[in-house]
Amino acid sequence: MAEVSSRAGYLTIDAMVGLTITTLAVGAAVSLASLAVTRMAQVRDRLTAARIASDIYEDLYAGRRPKGRGAGATEGRPWSYVIGSADTHQNPSVARHGFITVDRRTREDLVLEVYLPPDPAIRSSN
């Protein structure tokens, strides 16, 4: 009879060890899934901000946005730009220089320093 009760104790310990390992494995899986979801949201945020900045850059490059200051929102994300002349006393230039800033929800704002060619010539309506 002593053998039966000592064997029951080992079965209880085996069951407790099995439950502990299962609990740790499930906890690690949930933590990994949470980390993956967080990283995906950060990547999506970064890509959206980069796409918006690219659209603004293309508009500035083509002359569809005026030089100076501009601001707005795209897809609920605020953005702004400041474009001026790249001309300095040491480096005369007709190029344009400035910054494009796009709000990022998960980290600091995306800020791009840009250099653009001179303003495109305005076509005559004739």
Side-chain angles (χ1 to χ4, degrees), residues 23-120:
T23 302
L24 290 173
V26 168
V30 168
S31 176
L32 186 60
S34 173
L35 180 63
V37 168
T38 300
R39 291 281 168 94
M40 288 296 289
Q42 289 173 346
V43 167
R44 186 177 302 128
D45 180 50
R46 186 178 331 136
L47 287 173
T48 301
R51 183 180 45 78
I52 292 169
S54 175
D55 291 345
I56 294 167
Y57 176 82
E58 288 176 13
D59 287 349
L60 287 165
Y61 191 93
R64 289 187 293 265
R65 292 188 187 272
K67 190 163 77 172
R69 293 183 177 273
T74 302
E75 299 176 20
R77 272 177 209 271
W79 54 262
S80 64
Y81 67 84
V82 178
I83 302 293
S85 174
D87 185 35
T88 64
H89 183 65
Q90 293 85 9
N91 296 321
S93 174
V94 292
R96 297 174 288 159
H97 171 256
F99 295 91
I100 298 171
T101 304
V102 180
D103 179 55
R104 286 184 52 195
R105 295 181 178 139
T106 58
R107 298 209 175 184
E108 66 278 351
D109 292 348
L110 174 65
V111 179
L112 300 176
E113 182 177 15
V114 296
Y115 288 90
L116 301 157
D119 284 321

Side-chain angles (χ1 to χ4, degrees), residues 10-28:
Y10 285 119
L11 290 176
T12 303
I13 290 172
D14 288 345
M16 292 296 282
V17 168
L19 284 173
T20 302
I21 291 172
T22 302
T23 302
L24 290 173
V26 168

